[in-house]
Each structure stands twice: as structure tokens, then as C-alpha cells.
Amino acid sequence: MKRHRQFSAAYKIEACVVPGETKFLLDGQTVSYSKAAMFLCIKHSIGDVDRIKAWESPEYKFSSDAESVLAAECQRVSELISKRIERIGFDDDTKEYVVQEVFNPSDRQYWLEETNL
């Protein structure tokens, strides 16, 4: 992650489970495998943020397996780097993607970027 050419420009990292390429049948419906992924968030101007995929796991048949890998990887990476990591997930109540967990919440660069100081 730290070797990615855009790493130093990122003010935070978003992590989430995304659909994989492989598909399988489940109760007559085609369903995608899942994989964990981390994205570097780079702010260019107010409201303009690029999300660049910096890491992804292998594919897993069940999203719960990908969620477990994602949580473990977020914890591991947050101990190695000094960037804010937000684990994003779908909220069934609001039907929107929301921040479910924050790793390294005291990242100074994030707070400076967010407050425009």
C-alpha cells in the first residue's frame, strides 16, 4: 500500500467489499463472488475526490468471508501506516453506503484536509 505512487497524496483510505468477476448460481439467481478492496482518496478541489484502487483480496464465494478479510486487513494496515481508514458498508435501514468503522481516527492530515487549514 505504501509503495503505491499516489499513497502520499491520499488523505484517507476507504475500504469496502466489492463484487468479484466470478459468478455462481444461488437459488436460481446469478450472484458474484466478493472481494475486499482498499481505495486511496485524493482530493483535488472542494468536493472533487478521486478513489484509486490500491489493494484487493482474492475472491470469496460468500461476502461474509470478504468482510472478515477486510476487517483484518484494515486493522493490520492501520497499525503500519499513518492514514485514516474508513470501512464502508451498505446500511439496510437508510439504503445508503455509510462509514461502519474508522481505523486511525487521529490522522492529522485528514483533519487538516477536512477543515481546509
Side-chain angles (χ1 to χ4, degrees):
M1 175 89 54
K2 268 188 144 174
R3 293 182 187 165
H4 193 282
R5 59 181 170 74
Q6 295 287 337
F7 178 81
S8 61
Y11 72 100
K12 72 174 177 178
I13 298 169
E14 288 183 346
C16 60
V17 172
V18 296
E21 311 299 324
T22 309
K23 309 229 185 275
F24 68 99
L25 282 176
L26 179 67
D27 296 331
Q29 293 192 0
T30 303
V31 179
S32 292
Y33 275 52
S34 298
K35 57 187 172 182
M38 289 192 197
F39 299 86
L40 299 174
C41 297
I42 300 167
K43 190 180 289 187
H44 295 285
S45 62
I46 296 176
D48 186 21
V49 176
D50 282 342
R51 287 171 177 80
I52 300 166
K53 189 184 294 183
W55 173 85
E56 69 181 16
S57 72
E59 294 185 358
Y60 297 93
K61 188 170 185 175
F62 301 105
S63 62
S64 58
D65 293 337
E67 284 285 346
S68 296
V69 167
L70 183 64
E73 193 65 14
C74 285
Q75 182 64 43
R76 187 185 74 76
V77 170
S78 71
E79 292 173 2
L80 297 174
I81 64 174
S82 58
K83 294 269 188 223
R84 180 183 177 94
I85 300 176
E86 294 180 352
R87 189 167 63 87
I88 309 295
F90 191 75
D91 186 328
D92 290 329
D93 295 335
T94 64
K95 306 294 185 216
E96 294 179 355
Y97 285 92
V98 297
V99 175
Q100 294 180 328
E101 190 172 2
V102 175
F103 298 88
N104 194 12
S106 61
D107 175 24
R108 287 188 55 152
Q109 182 180 355
Y110 172 81
W111 293 112
L112 292 175
E113 295 264 347
E114 285 299 298
T115 57
N116 294 321
L117 294 178

